[in-house]
Amino acid sequence: MYKLLKRLLRVVIILTLLLVTGTVLFRQSVKIKDPLVVNPFESGASKIYAGSDLYLFEDSWLRKNREGLWEMYVTGSPFELGYKNGILTDSLNALQEHYFVEGIRQLIPSDSYLKFLKSFLAWYNRNLDEYIPAEYREEIYGVSRFASDKYSFIGEAYPRMLNYHAAHDIGHALQNMNLVACTAFMVKGEKTEDGSMLIGRNMDFSMGDDFARNKIIAFYRPDSGNNFAFITWAGMIGVVSGMNDKGLTITLNAANSAIPTSARTPVSILARKVLQYASNIQEAYEIIDEADVFVAECFLVASATDGKAVVIEKSVDDCTIYDSGSDVLVLTNHYQSDKLASSKLNKEALVDGSSPYRHARTLQLIDSIAVHTPQTVASVLRDQRGMDGVNIGMCNEKAVNQLIAHHSVIFRPERLEMWVSANPYQLGAYICYNLNDIFTGTPVPGVAIDDSTAIIEADPFLFSKGYEDFLKYKDVLAKLKWQLKNDDAEGISEGDIQLLVNLNPEFFHAWFIAGECWLLKGELQKAELCYRKALEKEVARKSEKEQLESRLSDLFGASY
């Protein structure tokens, strides 16, 4: 017995040593080192609050404008850009990180799975810094000096901020989570009032209204490359929508991706490099072509120098340019070039997704207007209807306006003008900025930098009963989804189910959720009625239609 216990103790000691050694080796292998930088700022440096939501630090500043949009102006070397950004936006950064983490918790409510995901992503992204240019690592490091300690359990500040820049890519690649379903388009020539290009773009990034509330229009004057502006959020130096002072614009639209084996260059970092260092389409293509990425992406690039816009389609293995060859170019979430359109993943996206429908609807809206202005471009971006103006319900992914946009933007590259939507979504006023005016001199802190004469007024829908119904619908939907997730059949009231479909009667998903509620309550006939109603509506995806058909088949043995 003594010998058995001795052997057992020896096995336990060996296993413990192996576990400890393995943990140490894992942590060492995933550890991302801080960049070596010279910090020119004094220890304990702080920003100055100048009143009226205006913050100053050195020659840079952050302010909230009259429409509630944050504007930030920063200058300097890579580390200085990040440091100034970080110190000015520290409280906003903490807020954004809170909203981001809460959004992840809603998507993945299991604590054990979150812990596993944290370790998996640490391993998956262990070489992420090798694929991010040194200057952007230094900038992110500068921002990270002011990151909140509240989320240190996720990781140290710098690697945490670094990993957030790959969040879009990872979620998109690993699960094709459908968090992004964007629409962008260009019109020019005979389709615009003066022949110049107009680019419209909805950034439909669904991490919740709170995350989108504190968007920032950042104006960068770096020591190297072009001056540029982009729409972002605190902590994010990558670009999803922006324009530089050469009149080159870039926006991102996700395409269907395979699951990669390790992290590569985040697409937002790649777009940032284009904005900072490219002045025409060829230079943009060369930057995108040479990069290693781990998700499929479409970059709509417009150039005042070239007088046109193209889509640079980038897959994990290939890169090509799609040029419509006309005065109209539309981009949703699929490839269009001869080279990549026939790929297996793209064909799957075309069959299942909403992208082809939105593409066709966008073309229909463009063609319905003879000559476009910034105002008409805004009207296209705000459209909630389906083909031929059919009511397909609020929030339908097939609509150009799904009422989830983080931001919406309109560019006129030849004039260096851009209009950015105020909250909420693309319903608030579009505020106009002229980059030539902003970068020719030095903007004065506290003085308005937008062109108040060129504002595009808020969408009338924002002040309608329809919008009130939309807000009520979201509240009821959130309540019912929570009850479904927790199997709370008793807590689900018939009144809430009826209210949900009354508030958004043409939306298939409202009827689907109603069906799920009745199913949980054991009311099979009512559930069947709701599922059948949902199938009568414009269902966004083939997979969602198949889910509805499966419910009916499983419950009633019917074939659809």
Side-chain angles (χ1 to χ4, degrees), residues 5-45:
L5 288 173
K6 189 174 179 181
R7 287 174 183 171
L8 185 60
L9 179 61
R10 186 180 300 164
V11 170
V12 169
I13 291 171
I14 291 171
L15 288 175
T16 301
L17 286 171
L18 286 172
L19 179 62
V20 171
T21 303
T23 301
V24 170
L25 288 173
F26 175 81
R27 288 178 177 173
Q28 288 296 320
S29 65
V30 301
K31 186 175 179 60
I32 294 177
K33 295 180 180 179
D34 293 349
L36 296 175
V37 298
V38 176
N39 187 347
F41 302 104
E42 292 182 9
S43 176

Side-chain angles (χ1 to χ4, degrees), residues 42 78 126 160 174 202 209 217 235 259 265 285 368 392 488:
E42 292 182 9
R126 64 192 181 279
R160 203 167 80 232
L174 294 184
N202 285 339
D209 292 349
I217 303 104
I259 299 176
T265 305
Y285 174 78
S368 70
I392 58 174
D488 181 17

Side-chain angles (χ1 to χ4, degrees), residues 106-137:
Q106 288 182 21
L107 290 170
I108 309 170
S110 167
D111 286 339
S112 59
Y113 187 69
L114 281 171
K115 288 178 181 177
F116 163 76
L117 187 63
K118 173 188 168 183
S119 298
F120 170 76
L121 291 178
W123 174 258
Y124 186 85
N125 280 346
R126 64 192 181 279
N127 299 320
L128 178 63
D129 58 331
E130 297 177 13
Y131 292 93
I132 296 179
E135 63 181 300
Y136 301 135
R137 296 200 302 270

Side-chain angles (χ1 to χ4, degrees), residues 370-555:
V371 178
H372 281 276
T373 64
Q375 287 75 15
T376 66
V377 170
S379 72
V380 173
L381 294 172
R382 288 169 168 169
D383 187 81
Q384 298 181 48
R385 297 274 171 165
M387 292 297 294
D388 301 320
V390 172
N391 186 349
I392 58 174
M394 296 180 288
C395 310
N396 197 316
E397 193 180 308
K398 284 185 170 180
V400 176
N401 175 11
Q402 302 155 42
L403 294 171
I404 61 170
H406 176 273
H407 64 262
S408 183
V409 60
I410 300 166
F411 298 108
R412 185 146 56 183
E414 287 96 334
R415 297 192 193 180
L416 294 182
E417 291 174 328
M418 71 178 198
W419 287 259
V420 182
S421 62
N423 293 322
Y425 322 114
Q426 55 276 78
L427 303 180
Y430 281 84
I431 310 302
C432 181
Y433 299 92
N434 186 298
L435 268 57
N436 189 56
D437 293 342
I438 292 169
F439 288 123
T440 296
T442 301
V444 178
V447 176
I449 59 172
D450 65 284
D451 181 356
S452 60
T453 66
I455 192 170
I456 299 173
E457 297 298 332
D459 190 337
F461 175 73
L462 185 59
F463 313 104
S464 69
K465 183 182 180 299
Y467 185 69
E468 291 178 7
D469 289 346
F470 164 67
L471 294 179
K472 292 176 187 175
Y473 168 78
K474 286 183 64 176
D475 288 342
V476 177
L477 179 65
K479 179 183 177 182
L480 291 176
K481 280 187 171 181
W482 187 90
Q483 290 166 327
L484 286 170
K485 185 177 71 174
N486 292 279
D487 294 323
D488 181 17
E490 292 185 4
I492 296 175
S493 73
E494 181 174 353
D496 281 343
I497 299 174
Q498 191 60 51
L499 181 60
L500 184 78
V501 294
N502 286 346
L503 289 169
N504 202 359
E506 298 304 319
F507 189 29
F508 80 94
H509 188 68
W511 288 102
F512 170 72
I513 293 297
E516 296 290 274
C517 289
W518 287 124
L519 182 62
L520 183 63
K521 292 174 75 67
E523 299 275 2
L524 299 189
Q525 286 187 329
K526 292 180 179 179
E528 178 187 11
L529 175 65
C530 290
Y531 292 140
R532 290 185 184 279
K533 277 281 189 180
L535 283 171
E536 292 173 5
K537 309 302 178 183
E538 189 66 60
V539 181
R541 290 176 172 268
K542 180 185 176 184
S543 54
E544 290 171 317
K545 183 177 181 182
E546 289 173 346
Q547 184 182 22
L548 283 162
E549 293 171 341
S550 176
R551 283 283 194 278
L552 287 167
S553 178
D554 292 343
L555 288 173

Side-chain angles (χ1 to χ4, degrees), residues 285-343:
Y285 174 78
E286 289 170 1
I287 290 170
I288 294 171
D289 181 42
E290 69 180 6
D292 288 322
V293 296
F294 57 113
V295 293
E297 199 75 26
C298 296
F299 303 83
L300 194 153
V301 176
S303 165
T305 302
D306 298 307
K308 69 174 184 177
V310 300
V311 178
I312 301 177
E313 298 178 347
K314 178 76 170 175
S315 72
V316 175
D317 303 312
D318 219 333
C319 187
T320 191
I321 291 178
Y322 170 73
D323 186 341
S324 69
S326 73
D327 288 344
V328 176
L329 175 65
V330 174
L331 173 61
T332 47
N333 297 104
H334 61 271
Y335 292 140
Q336 301 175 71
S337 68
D338 292 339
K339 191 173 189 179
L340 293 177
S342 61
S343 66

